[in-house]
């Protein structure tokens, strides 16, 4: 059996990845310190004979014998990663060093879940992997952005220096069931607000853009990247290129929830990127992957999930 380690496996994306790996017959070790993740996300897997859960903080070394590592441990929403910014950088950087050291010792293939945040507030649009980004090194988002950039550096140095078998994906905004209802991300905020009839909080004028990928499409891409040809390291963008303003997203959420909540405008957070859209030509070529789930279908699933959360 394929022995797989998923760090951050009790989080939003990690738990969906664990579901897929168990369905595919992996012998799975899920590691999480439950900072933002929850046992609820993986409770349904606990009675599976080939699912093992370990409470562990990746900033400390980990000893395990595995064939593949998916490194997802890291808070991902601005509210959570800014709560303890020093720990956020440590998780990205020390976590990468520890997981790369493990991969080197056991000769495992290791995939890093990097982020579109490495492009910062981009001047190139849509963003290709060749773009180096425009990132503020000392702002309130830097603990996350620069932590992830340094993790990428470590991945490529372990690859060049120690021949570690690396795979790097740059994930663009992804949404779906099991997002944390209080994580402050725009999709979860708008849906929860719409369902509770609270004002929809638009930051700035709402003209900034994002491109949203449904979680099932993302998991498929991660699986394909882990199985991709020898020598293909990435980085590769994974996301849905359908770009929209935050006002358009709010209109979609209101329509699909049937809510009559009102829009209110709040100040734009510091260093908030103005636009973001992945160029996925490389993922199409190397992974034969492109997203299949429309925003309407993905939002319907996500709204159904949040109905169960807000109604208890
Ligand atoms: P999440 O917060 O739901 O999941 C992160 C998980 O990591 C949580 O379960 C958390 O408890 C765990 N964790 C945090 N610090 C840890 C530590 N020191 N040791 C062990 N576990 C720790 O967020 P997510 O959206 O599922 O993101 C997963 C990964 O994907 C992250 O690395 C994130 O940077 C990346 N990513 C996500 C998105 C997105 O839109 N969701 C976009 C780009 C990148
Ligand atoms: N945003 C918003 N209202 C909210 C939460 C977020 O208008 O209640 C905006 C935010 O300013 C940003 C976009 O939505 O421009 C996406 O924010 P999110 O935190 O989800 O992701 P990121 O900025 O990391 O892409």
């Amino acid at each position: 059996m394929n022995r797989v380690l998923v760090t951050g496996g009790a989080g939003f994306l990690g738990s969906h990845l664990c579901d897929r790996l168990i369905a595919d017959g992996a012998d799975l070790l899920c590691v999480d310190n439950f900072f933002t993740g929850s046992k609820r996300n993986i409770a349904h897997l606990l009675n599976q004979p080939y699912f093992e859960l370990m409470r562990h903080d990746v900033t400390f070394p980990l000893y395990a014998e595995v064939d593949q590592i998916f490194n997802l441990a890291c808070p991902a929403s601005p509210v959570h990663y800014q709560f303890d910014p020093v720990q956020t950088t440590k998780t990205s950087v020390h976590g990468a060093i520890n997981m790369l050291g493990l991969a080197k010792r056991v000769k495992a293939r290791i995939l890093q879940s990097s982020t579109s945040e490495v492009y910062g507030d981009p001047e190139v649009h849509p963003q290709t992997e060749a773009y180096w980004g425009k990132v503020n090194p000392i702002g309130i988002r830097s603990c996350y952005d620069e932590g992830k950039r340094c993790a990428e550096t470590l991945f490529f140095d372990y690859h060049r220096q120690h021949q570690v078998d690396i795979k790097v994906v740059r994930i663009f905004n992804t949404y779906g069931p099991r997002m944390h209802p209080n994580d402050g991300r725009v999709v979860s905020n708008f849906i929860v607000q719409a369902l509770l009839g609270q004002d929809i909080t638009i930051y700035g004028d709402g003209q900034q853009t994002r491109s949203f990928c449904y979680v099932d499409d993302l998991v498929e891409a991660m699986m394909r990247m882990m199985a991709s040809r020898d020598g293909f390291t990435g980085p590769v963008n994974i996301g849905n290129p359908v770009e929209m303003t935050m006002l358009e997203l709010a209109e979609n959420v209101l329509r699909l929830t049937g809510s009559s909540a009102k829009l209110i405008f709040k100040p734009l957070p510091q260093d908030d990127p103005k636009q973001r859209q992945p160029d996925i030509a490389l993922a199409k070529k190397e992974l034969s992957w492109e997203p299949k789930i429309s925003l309407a279908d993905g939002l319907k699933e996500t709204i159904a999930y949040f109905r169960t959360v807000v109604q208890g």
Side-chain angles (χ1 to χ4, degrees):
M1 282 177 91
N2 198 20
R3 297 166 306 171
V4 184
L5 164 63
V6 175
T7 75
F12 159 48
L13 298 182
S15 63
H16 287 276
L17 181 62
C18 287
D19 284 345
R20 171 66 184 268
L21 286 161
I22 288 292
D24 285 5
D27 180 359
L28 183 56
L29 173 59
C30 168
V31 161
D32 207 293
N33 71 348
F34 301 113
F35 174 53
T36 51
S38 158
K39 283 190 187 157
R40 216 175 321 114
N41 290 339
I42 34 115
H44 58 286
L45 294 174
L46 290 173
N47 62 357
Q48 293 281 336
Y50 291 101
F51 179 82
E52 192 179 348
L53 176 62
M54 182 193 287
R55 181 190 291 267
H56 176 80
D57 183 328
V58 296
T59 62
F60 296 95
L62 176 70
Y63 295 91
E65 308 305 314
V66 291
D67 306 304
Q68 295 179 346
I69 303 168
F70 289 89
N71 188 37
L72 276 70
C74 187
S77 81
V79 168
H80 286 146
Y81 68 65
Q82 288 164 14
F83 173 77
D84 185 349
V86 173
Q87 175 68 10
T88 298
T89 305
K90 274 190 189 169
T91 294
S92 273
V93 177
H94 292 191
I97 291 170
N98 288 328
M99 293 309 117
L100 284 160
L102 172 62
K104 178 180 163 217
R105 182 177 67 79
V106 300
K107 299 192 170 31
R109 176 171 280 196
I110 179 167
L111 181 148
Q112 168 68 355
S113 57
S114 190
T115 168
S116 53
E117 296 284 333
V118 301
Y119 302 122
D121 189 5
E123 297 144 309
V124 169
H125 194 77
Q127 292 80 58
T128 62
E129 291 85 354
Y131 177 51
W132 289 355
K134 181 185 164 221
V135 176
N136 177 357
I138 57 167
I140 56 171
R141 292 175 85 101
S142 312
C143 59
Y144 184 73
D145 301 8
E146 297 288 19
K148 288 285 187 178
R149 286 170 67 96
C150 183
E152 284 200 13
T153 307
L154 285 159
F155 268 70
F156 279 85
D157 281 334
Y158 268 77
H159 176 63
R160 282 185 289 258
Q161 199 175 331
H162 300 300
Q163 293 73 52
V164 171
D165 184 4
I166 64 158
K167 304 276 170 189
V168 176
V169 292
R170 291 182 177 156
I171 303 170
F172 285 63
N173 297 62
T174 302
Y175 70 100
R178 302 188 198 145
M179 290 184 91
H180 199 296
N182 299 324
D183 71 3
R185 283 191 262 198
V186 69
V187 174
S188 43
N189 267 13
F190 285 4
I191 293 177
V192 170
Q193 290 161 348
L195 291 178
L196 294 176
Q198 297 170 349
D199 294 339
I200 307 281
T201 51
I202 308 279
Y203 298 163
D205 60 8
Q207 293 300 335
Q208 70 273 34
T209 66
R210 295 293 187 274
S211 309
F212 296 99
C213 184
Y214 188 65
V215 60
D216 291 359
D217 281 329
L218 187 274
V219 167
E220 177 64 29
M222 289 181 99
M223 296 296 291
R224 285 178 186 232
M225 183 59 172
M226 183 57 99
S228 63
R229 66 176 170 86
D230 286 346
F232 179 62
T233 58
V236 60
N237 290 338
I238 303 296
N240 190 323
V242 177
E243 183 185 14
M244 74 204 68
T245 66
M246 295 310 98
L247 282 174
E248 287 166 339
L249 176 69
E251 283 160 16
N252 276 290
V253 169
L254 287 174
R255 182 171 50 80
L256 292 167
T257 52
S259 169
S260 51
K262 305 213 165 6
L263 306 186
I264 56 162
F265 291 85
K266 299 232 173 182
L268 191 67
Q270 189 192 327
D271 294 338
D272 199 278
K274 284 181 275 307
Q275 53 182 0
R276 190 181 289 148
Q277 182 191 33
D279 179 320
I280 60 165
L282 185 61
K284 280 185 182 162
K285 174 169 169 275
E286 287 288 345
L287 310 178
S288 304
W289 175 88
E290 62 184 313
K292 293 195 163 38
I293 297 154
S294 69
L295 182 75
D297 287 346
L299 282 180
K300 279 181 204 154
E301 294 290 327
T302 314
I303 290 165
Y305 169 76
F306 277 111
R307 275 193 206 282
T308 67
V309 172
V310 299
Q311 287 161 4

